[in-house]
PDB file of all heavy atoms in Angstrom:
ATOM      1  N   ASN X   1     -39.104-104.999  52.204  1.00 64.00           N
ATOM      2  CA  ASN X   1     -39.551-103.603  52.388  1.00 64.00           C
ATOM      3  C   ASN X   1     -41.053-103.493  52.669  1.00 64.00           C
ATOM      4  O   ASN X   1     -41.565-102.393  52.729  1.00 64.00           O
ATOM      5  CB  ASN X   1     -39.196-102.737  51.155  1.00 64.00           C
ATOM      6  CG  ASN X   1     -37.710-102.749  50.975  1.00 64.00           C
ATOM      7  OD1 ASN X   1     -36.919-102.562  51.855  1.00 64.00           O
ATOM      8  ND2 ASN X   1     -37.271-102.844  49.700  1.00 64.00           N
ATOM      9  N   SER X   2     -41.665-104.594  52.838  1.00 65.00           N
ATOM     10  CA  SER X   2     -43.130-104.613  53.064  1.00 65.00           C
ATOM     11  C   SER X   2     -43.465-105.584  54.177  1.00 65.00           C
ATOM     12  O   SER X   2     -42.827-106.617  54.296  1.00 65.00           O
ATOM     13  CB  SER X   2     -43.845-105.051  51.763  1.00 65.00           C
ATOM     14  OG  SER X   2     -45.218-105.104  51.984  1.00 65.00           O
ATOM     15  N   SER X   3     -44.456-105.181  55.007  1.00 67.00           N
ATOM     16  CA  SER X   3     -44.847-106.075  56.112  1.00 67.00           C
ATOM     17  C   SER X   3     -46.355-106.247  56.034  1.00 67.00           C
ATOM     18  O   SER X   3     -47.087-105.317  55.678  1.00 67.00           O
ATOM     19  CB  SER X   3     -44.500-105.413  57.455  1.00 67.00           C
ATOM     20  OG  SER X   3     -43.109-105.289  57.574  1.00 67.00           O
ATOM     21  N   SER X   4     -46.803-107.375  56.434  1.00 72.00           N
ATOM     22  CA  SER X   4     -48.225-107.696  56.552  1.00 72.00           C
ATOM     23  C   SER X   4     -48.546-108.101  58.002  1.00 72.00           C
ATOM     24  O   SER X   4     -47.843-108.844  58.594  1.00 72.00           O
ATOM     25  CB  SER X   4     -48.587-108.876  55.651  1.00 72.00           C
ATOM     26  OG  SER X   4     -48.429-108.505  54.301  1.00 72.00           O
ATOM     27  N   TYR X   5     -49.570-107.466  58.556  1.00 73.00           N
ATOM     28  CA  TYR X   5     -49.986-107.714  59.877  1.00 73.00           C
ATOM     29  C   TYR X   5     -51.368-108.428  59.884  1.00 73.00           C
ATOM     30  O   TYR X   5     -52.293-107.919  59.284  1.00 73.00           O
ATOM     31  CB  TYR X   5     -50.071-106.437  60.717  1.00 73.00           C
ATOM     32  CG  TYR X   5     -48.735-105.772  60.961  1.00 73.00           C
ATOM     33  CD1 TYR X   5     -48.137-105.026  60.015  1.00 73.00           C
ATOM     34  CD2 TYR X   5     -48.166-105.980  62.195  1.00 73.00           C
ATOM     35  CE1 TYR X   5     -46.929-104.462  60.248  1.00 73.00           C
ATOM     36  CE2 TYR X   5     -46.911-105.411  62.424  1.00 73.00           C
ATOM     37  CZ  TYR X   5     -46.285-104.676  61.457  1.00 73.00           C
ATOM     38  OH  TYR X   5     -45.099-104.126  61.675  1.00 73.00           O
ATOM     39  N   PRO X   6     -51.429-109.609  60.448  1.00 77.00           N
ATOM     40  CA  PRO X   6     -52.715-110.302  60.516  1.00 77.00           C
ATOM     41  C   PRO X   6     -53.775-109.490  61.274  1.00 77.00           C
ATOM     42  O   PRO X   6     -53.412-108.846  62.282  1.00 77.00           O
ATOM     43  CB  PRO X   6     -52.379-111.612  61.290  1.00 77.00           C
ATOM     44  CG  PRO X   6     -50.917-111.761  61.170  1.00 77.00           C
ATOM     45  CD  PRO X   6     -50.315-110.392  61.056  1.00 77.00           C
ATOM     46  N   VAL X   7     -54.976-109.513  60.781  1.00 77.00           N
ATOM     47  CA  VAL X   7     -56.056-108.761  61.417  1.00 77.00           C
ATOM     48  C   VAL X   7     -57.238-109.777  61.607  1.00 77.00           C
ATOM     49  O   VAL X   7     -57.373-110.741  60.916  1.00 77.00           O
ATOM     50  CB  VAL X   7     -56.553-107.559  60.626  1.00 77.00           C
ATOM     51  CG1 VAL X   7     -55.458-106.493  60.479  1.00 77.00           C
ATOM     52  CG2 VAL X   7     -57.111-107.979  59.269  1.00 77.00           C
ATOM     53  N   LEU X   8     -58.021-109.463  62.581  1.00 77.00           N
ATOM     54  CA  LEU X   8     -59.271-110.195  62.851  1.00 77.00           C
ATOM     55  C   LEU X   8     -60.407-109.213  62.639  1.00 77.00           C
ATOM     56  O   LEU X   8     -60.370-108.046  63.163  1.00 77.00           O
ATOM     57  CB  LEU X   8     -59.257-110.763  64.269  1.00 77.00           C
ATOM     58  CG  LEU X   8     -60.522-111.550  64.702  1.00 77.00           C
ATOM     59  CD1 LEU X   8     -60.584-112.795  63.878  1.00 77.00           C
ATOM     60  CD2 LEU X   8     -60.436-111.918  66.175  1.00 77.00           C
ATOM     61  N   ALA X   9     -61.354-109.613  61.828  1.00 79.00           N
ATOM     62  CA  ALA X   9     -62.534-108.695  61.516  1.00 79.00           C
ATOM     63  C   ALA X   9     -63.820-109.487  61.664  1.00 79.00           C
ATOM     64  O   ALA X   9     -63.892-110.645  61.408  1.00 79.00           O
ATOM     65  CB  ALA X   9     -62.338-108.196  60.097  1.00 79.00           C
ATOM     66  N   GLN X  10     -64.810-108.717  62.098  1.00 82.00           N
ATOM     67  CA  GLN X  10     -66.157-109.257  62.223  1.00 82.00           C
ATOM     68  C   GLN X  10     -66.974-108.858  60.996  1.00 82.00           C
ATOM     69  O   GLN X  10     -67.166-107.686  60.775  1.00 82.00           O
ATOM     70  CB  GLN X  10     -66.826-108.733  63.520  1.00 82.00           C
ATOM     71  CG  GLN X  10     -68.233-109.231  63.679  1.00 82.00           C
ATOM     72  CD  GLN X  10     -68.335-110.712  64.035  1.00 82.00           C
ATOM     73  OE1 GLN X  10     -67.502-111.201  64.794  1.00 82.00           O
ATOM     74  NE2 GLN X  10     -69.254-111.371  63.448  1.00 82.00           N
ATOM     75  N   ILE X  11     -67.397-109.875  60.194  1.00 84.00           N
ATOM     76  CA  ILE X  11     -68.148-109.574  58.976  1.00 84.00           C
ATOM     77  C   ILE X  11     -69.605-109.365  59.396  1.00 84.00           C
ATOM     78  O   ILE X  11     -70.190-110.142  60.095  1.00 84.00           O
ATOM     79  CB  ILE X  11     -68.051-110.764  58.001  1.00 84.00           C
ATOM     80  CG1 ILE X  11     -66.574-110.974  57.576  1.00 84.00           C
ATOM     81  CG2 ILE X  11     -68.956-110.552  56.801  1.00 84.00           C
ATOM     82  CD1 ILE X  11     -66.356-112.168  56.719  1.00 84.00           C
ATOM     83  N   GLU X  12     -70.170-108.252  58.945  1.00 84.00           N
ATOM     84  CA  GLU X  12     -71.512-107.845  59.354  1.00 84.00           C
ATOM     85  C   GLU X  12     -72.556-108.780  58.720  1.00 84.00           C
ATOM     86  O   GLU X  12     -73.481-109.192  59.444  1.00 84.00           O
ATOM     87  CB  GLU X  12     -71.771-106.443  58.984  1.00 84.00           C
ATOM     88  CG  GLU X  12     -70.945-105.452  59.775  1.00 84.00           C
ATOM     89  CD  GLU X  12     -71.144-103.986  59.388  1.00 84.00           C
ATOM     90  OE1 GLU X  12     -72.027-103.686  58.641  1.00 84.00           O
ATOM     91  OE2 GLU X  12     -70.301-103.163  59.849  1.00 84.00           O
ATOM     92  N   ASP X  13     -72.472-109.137  57.490  1.00 84.00           N
ATOM     93  CA  ASP X  13     -73.410-110.012  56.829  1.00 84.00           C
ATOM     94  C   ASP X  13     -72.647-110.970  55.928  1.00 84.00           C
ATOM     95  O   ASP X  13     -72.272-110.678  54.828  1.00 84.00           O
ATOM     96  CB  ASP X  13     -74.437-109.219  55.972  1.00 84.00           C
ATOM     97  CG  ASP X  13     -75.450-110.060  55.307  1.00 84.00           C
ATOM     98  OD1 ASP X  13     -75.527-111.315  55.593  1.00 84.00           O
ATOM     99  OD2 ASP X  13     -76.185-109.559  54.437  1.00 84.00           O
ATOM    100  N   PRO X  14     -72.372-112.206  56.391  1.00 80.00           N
ATOM    101  CA  PRO X  14     -71.605-113.171  55.642  1.00 80.00           C
ATOM    102  C   PRO X  14     -72.289-113.879  54.532  1.00 80.00           C
ATOM    103  O   PRO X  14     -71.734-114.728  53.848  1.00 80.00           O
ATOM    104  CB  PRO X  14     -71.136-114.160  56.692  1.00 80.00           C
ATOM    105  CG  PRO X  14     -72.136-114.132  57.769  1.00 80.00           C
ATOM    106  CD  PRO X  14     -72.672-112.709  57.754  1.00 80.00           C
ATOM    107  N   SER X  15     -73.544-113.583  54.319  1.00 79.00           N
ATOM    108  CA  SER X  15     -74.325-114.286  53.246  1.00 79.00           C
ATOM    109  C   SER X  15     -73.668-113.984  51.882  1.00 79.00           C
ATOM    110  O   SER X  15     -73.220-112.865  51.610  1.00 79.00           O
ATOM    111  CB  SER X  15     -75.788-113.870  53.233  1.00 79.00           C
ATOM    112  OG  SER X  15     -75.907-112.472  53.007  1.00 79.00           O
ATOM    113  N   GLY X  16     -73.581-114.954  51.064  1.00 76.00           N
ATOM    114  CA  GLY X  16     -72.944-114.850  49.766  1.00 76.00           C
ATOM    115  C   GLY X  16     -71.442-115.101  49.749  1.00 76.00           C
ATOM    116  O   GLY X  16     -70.816-115.075  48.717  1.00 76.00           O
ATOM    117  N   LEU X  17     -70.894-115.414  50.943  1.00 80.00           N
ATOM    118  CA  LEU X  17     -69.451-115.708  51.023  1.00 80.00           C
ATOM    119  C   LEU X  17     -69.315-117.240  51.263  1.00 80.00           C
ATOM    120  O   LEU X  17     -70.157-117.839  51.886  1.00 80.00           O
ATOM    121  CB  LEU X  17     -68.835-114.956  52.190  1.00 80.00           C
ATOM    122  CG  LEU X  17     -68.875-113.415  52.093  1.00 80.00           C
ATOM    123  CD1 LEU X  17     -68.313-112.832  53.394  1.00 80.00           C
ATOM    124  CD2 LEU X  17     -68.084-112.940  50.925  1.00 80.00           C
ATOM    125  N   VAL X  18     -68.187-117.756  50.759  1.00 81.00           N
ATOM    126  CA  VAL X  18     -67.852-119.174  50.964  1.00 81.00           C
ATOM    127  C   VAL X  18     -66.557-119.223  51.785  1.00 81.00           C
ATOM    128  O   VAL X  18     -65.767-118.372  51.681  1.00 81.00           O
ATOM    129  CB  VAL X  18     -67.690-119.947  49.633  1.00 81.00           C
ATOM    130  CG1 VAL X  18     -69.117-119.959  48.899  1.00 81.00           C
ATOM    131  CG2 VAL X  18     -66.708-119.319  48.731  1.00 81.00           C
ATOM    132  N   PRO X  19     -66.418-120.349  52.537  1.00 83.00           N
ATOM    133  CA  PRO X  19     -65.190-120.450  53.377  1.00 83.00           C
ATOM    134  C   PRO X  19     -63.876-120.397  52.471  1.00 83.00           C
ATOM    135  O   PRO X  19     -63.871-120.991  51.393  1.00 83.00           O
ATOM    136  CB  PRO X  19     -65.340-121.824  54.009  1.00 83.00           C
ATOM    137  CG  PRO X  19     -66.832-122.072  53.998  1.00 83.00           C
ATOM    138  CD  PRO X  19     -67.339-121.434  52.776  1.00 83.00           C
ATOM    139  N   TYR X  20     -62.903-119.717  53.000  1.00 82.00           N
ATOM    140  CA  TYR X  20     -61.563-119.620  52.445  1.00 82.00           C
ATOM    141  C   TYR X  20     -61.448-118.890  51.093  1.00 82.00           C
ATOM    142  O   TYR X  20     -60.454-118.923  50.447  1.00 82.00           O
ATOM    143  CB  TYR X  20     -60.946-121.033  52.269  1.00 82.00           C
ATOM    144  CG  TYR X  20     -60.914-121.787  53.609  1.00 82.00           C
ATOM    145  CD1 TYR X  20     -61.761-122.887  53.767  1.00 82.00           C
ATOM    146  CD2 TYR X  20     -60.036-121.441  54.613  1.00 82.00           C
ATOM    147  CE1 TYR X  20     -61.814-123.558  54.955  1.00 82.00           C
ATOM    148  CE2 TYR X  20     -60.060-122.139  55.814  1.00 82.00           C
ATOM    149  CZ  TYR X  20     -60.919-123.210  55.957  1.00 82.00           C
ATOM    150  OH  TYR X  20     -60.898-123.876  57.148  1.00 82.00           O
ATOM    151  N   GLU X  21     -62.494-118.172  50.724  1.00 82.00           N
ATOM    152  CA  GLU X  21     -62.322-117.353  49.517  1.00 82.00           C
ATOM    153  C   GLU X  21     -61.486-116.116  49.864  1.00 82.00           C
ATOM    154  O   GLU X  21     -61.442-115.698  50.993  1.00 82.00           O
ATOM    155  CB  GLU X  21     -63.658-116.962  48.896  1.00 82.00           C
ATOM    156  CG  GLU X  21     -64.489-115.949  49.649  1.00 82.00           C
ATOM    157  CD  GLU X  21     -65.804-115.667  48.923  1.00 82.00           C
ATOM    158  OE1 GLU X  21     -65.751-115.282  47.751  1.00 82.00           O
ATOM    159  OE2 GLU X  21     -66.853-115.842  49.549  1.00 82.00           O
ATOM    160  N   MET X  22     -60.789-115.593  48.874  1.00 81.00           N
ATOM    161  CA  MET X  22     -59.928-114.456  49.074  1.00 81.00           C
ATOM    162  C   MET X  22     -60.711-113.199  48.770  1.00 81.00           C
ATOM    163  O   MET X  22     -61.603-113.169  47.914  1.00 81.00           O
ATOM    164  CB  MET X  22     -58.661-114.590  48.184  1.00 81.00           C
ATOM    165  CG  MET X  22     -57.873-115.811  48.583  1.00 81.00           C
ATOM    166  SD  MET X  22     -56.355-115.954  47.648  1.00 81.00           S
ATOM    167  CE  MET X  22     -55.437-114.626  48.333  1.00 81.00           C
ATOM    168  N   ALA X  23     -60.294-112.086  49.423  1.00 79.00           N
ATOM    169  CA  ALA X  23     -61.006-110.814  49.218  1.00 79.00           C
ATOM    170  C   ALA X  23     -59.957-109.692  49.238  1.00 79.00           C
ATOM    171  O   ALA X  23     -58.921-109.783  49.821  1.00 79.00           O
ATOM    172  CB  ALA X  23     -62.030-110.648  50.312  1.00 79.00           C
ATOM    173  N   GLU X  24     -60.295-108.646  48.463  1.00 76.00           N
ATOM    174  CA  GLU X  24     -59.533-107.391  48.569  1.00 76.00           C
ATOM    175  C   GLU X  24     -60.231-106.548  49.554  1.00 76.00           C
ATOM    176  O   GLU X  24     -61.374-106.324  49.556  1.00 76.00           O
ATOM    177  CB  GLU X  24     -59.575-106.708  47.154  1.00 76.00           C
ATOM    178  CG  GLU X  24     -58.872-105.348  47.200  1.00 76.00           C
ATOM    179  CD  GLU X  24     -58.829-104.703  45.846  1.00 76.00           C
ATOM    180  OE1 GLU X  24     -59.315-105.350  44.866  1.00 76.00           O
ATOM    181  OE2 GLU X  24     -58.562-103.497  45.778  1.00 76.00           O
ATOM    182  N   VAL X  25     -59.399-106.054  50.535  1.00 75.00           N
ATOM    183  CA  VAL X  25     -59.955-105.267  51.663  1.00 75.00           C
ATOM    184  C   VAL X  25     -59.487-103.792  51.534  1.00 75.00           C
ATOM    185  O   VAL X  25     -58.310-103.551  51.356  1.00 75.00           O
ATOM    186  CB  VAL X  25     -59.552-105.876  52.974  1.00 75.00           C
ATOM    187  CG1 VAL X  25     -60.092-105.008  54.159  1.00 75.00           C
ATOM    188  CG2 VAL X  25     -60.027-107.281  53.056  1.00 75.00           C
ATOM    189  N   LYS X  26     -60.404-102.856  51.663  1.00 76.00           N
ATOM    190  CA  LYS X  26     -60.061-101.468  51.736  1.00 76.00           C
ATOM    191  C   LYS X  26     -60.632-100.954  53.086  1.00 76.00           C
ATOM    192  O   LYS X  26     -61.742-101.269  53.457  1.00 76.00           O
ATOM    193  CB  LYS X  26     -60.667-100.686  50.598  1.00 76.00           C
ATOM    194  CG  LYS X  26     -60.117-101.100  49.293  1.00 76.00           C
ATOM    195  CD  LYS X  26     -60.726-100.327  48.127  1.00 76.00           C
ATOM    196  CE  LYS X  26     -60.105-100.794  46.839  1.00 76.00           C
ATOM    197  NZ  LYS X  26     -60.638-100.079  45.700  1.00 76.00           N
TER     198      LYS X  26
END
């Protein structure tokens, strides 16, 4: 009953992020 659609997003400032970490997106 639920679907997930892959999205591509451009991160404005990636500083402080590490590769492959998970995030909650709103």
Side-chain angles (χ1 to χ4, degrees):
N1 298 318
S2 178
S3 298
S4 296
Y5 290 81
V7 298
L8 181 62
Q10 178 69 42
I11 298 172
E12 293 176 12
D13 180 10
S15 61
L17 299 175
V18 295
Y20 304 107
E21 71 179 305
M22 297 182 71
E24 177 181 350
V25 178
K26 294 182 181 179

